[in-house]
Amino acid sequence: MKTNKRLMLSFAFVALTGSFLMSCSKTEKNSETTLDENEKSEVILKDYGKDPLVINIEDYTISNENFRTALWTGTSFQMTLMSIPVGGNIGLELHGETDQFLRIEAGKGKVYMGDSKENLDFVREVSDDFVVLVPAGKWHNIENTGDKPLKIYSIYSPVEHPHGTIHKTQEDDLGHH
């Protein structure tokens, strides 16, 4: 039963991620719902909870100066924004029951993953527009190897952080993982 539930959650996560990515890449114009190219909506960084939300994710991700800001926390998944300082990293971590999707909006980094924290044998360079998919149960870290903050948005399924989480610095996150 537990395996079936986890499998169903994984399928739901993949379907939601696919739908999200497809909706981000479509360029369909609708005068009632599309801002004029010269207009920019105001970026308000907060957790929009379970309310419907349509935003320019690149604007929000680039605007975020906090180490982590929960942007949307639902019942089954969560989106957070991250800003990793030059030379910094997200911190070596493991999510036992949570799959994670990360997208690099700006900057350069190096991804490390493995079955144990002593054996991070999966190493890849990443930069703008790269996606990192972390399966539940994988140790992982992303290091900023560039000369400007690494701007990332992340989707967790199921939810990883409490609604409204804001960690201004990585030190604010210590003890929460």
Side-chain angles (χ1 to χ4, degrees):
M1 180 73 174
K2 190 173 187 176
T3 302
N4 287 340
K5 183 176 181 184
R6 185 167 180 197
L7 186 60
M8 287 174 36
L9 280 173
S10 293
F11 285 135
F13 176 72
V14 170
L16 283 169
T17 302
S19 296
F20 179 76
L21 289 173
M22 288 178 61
S23 69
C24 287
S25 67
K26 291 190 177 174
T27 57
E28 182 178 311
K29 296 272 183 175
N30 180 335
S31 61
E32 293 179 27
T33 59
T34 304
L35 292 175
D36 181 282
E37 288 181 18
N38 295 323
E39 285 184 76
K40 285 265 189 187
S41 62
E42 181 182 5
V43 172
I44 300 173
L45 295 172
K46 67 174 193 169
D47 194 330
Y48 289 87
K50 296 177 184 171
D51 293 336
L53 181 64
V54 176
I55 59 169
N56 180 321
I57 191 60
E58 183 175 9
D59 289 348
Y60 274 69
T61 305
I62 299 299
S63 295
N64 177 54
E65 298 293 327
N66 296 317
F67 176 74
R68 178 179 293 108
T69 301
L71 184 65
W72 194 90
T73 303
T75 302
S76 301
F77 78 94
Q78 177 178 54
M79 177 178 276
T80 64
L81 309 174
M82 297 187 79
S83 181
I84 311 304
V86 173
N89 62 69
I90 65 170
L92 183 61
E93 59 185 4
L94 170 79
H95 306 296
E97 300 293 321
T98 302
D99 292 315
Q100 188 175 12
F101 165 101
L102 301 108
R103 184 172 195 276
I104 311 302
E105 282 294 333
K108 289 181 174 180
K110 190 176 276 192
V111 174
Y112 301 89
M113 280 192 257
D115 292 330
S116 70
K117 58 183 169 181
E118 295 81 19
N119 186 26
L120 302 174
D121 57 351
F122 182 91
V123 180
R124 299 291 189 277
E125 300 284 332
V126 294
S127 58
D128 299 10
D129 302 327
F130 273 70
V131 168
V132 178
L133 299 170
V134 182
K138 267 305 172 195
W139 285 94
H140 60 282
N141 197 359
I142 300 177
E143 177 183 83
N144 183 346
T145 60
D147 58 2
K148 62 183 180 177
L150 184 62
K151 301 293 187 156
I152 299 172
Y153 70 83
S154 176
I155 300 172
Y156 299 92
S157 179
V159 172
E160 179 68 17
H161 302 282
H163 177 274
T165 295
I166 295 176
H167 297 135
K168 290 193 179 293
T169 67
Q170 187 174 21
E171 290 73 31
D172 293 341
D173 182 41
L174 295 178
H176 293 118
H177 272 93

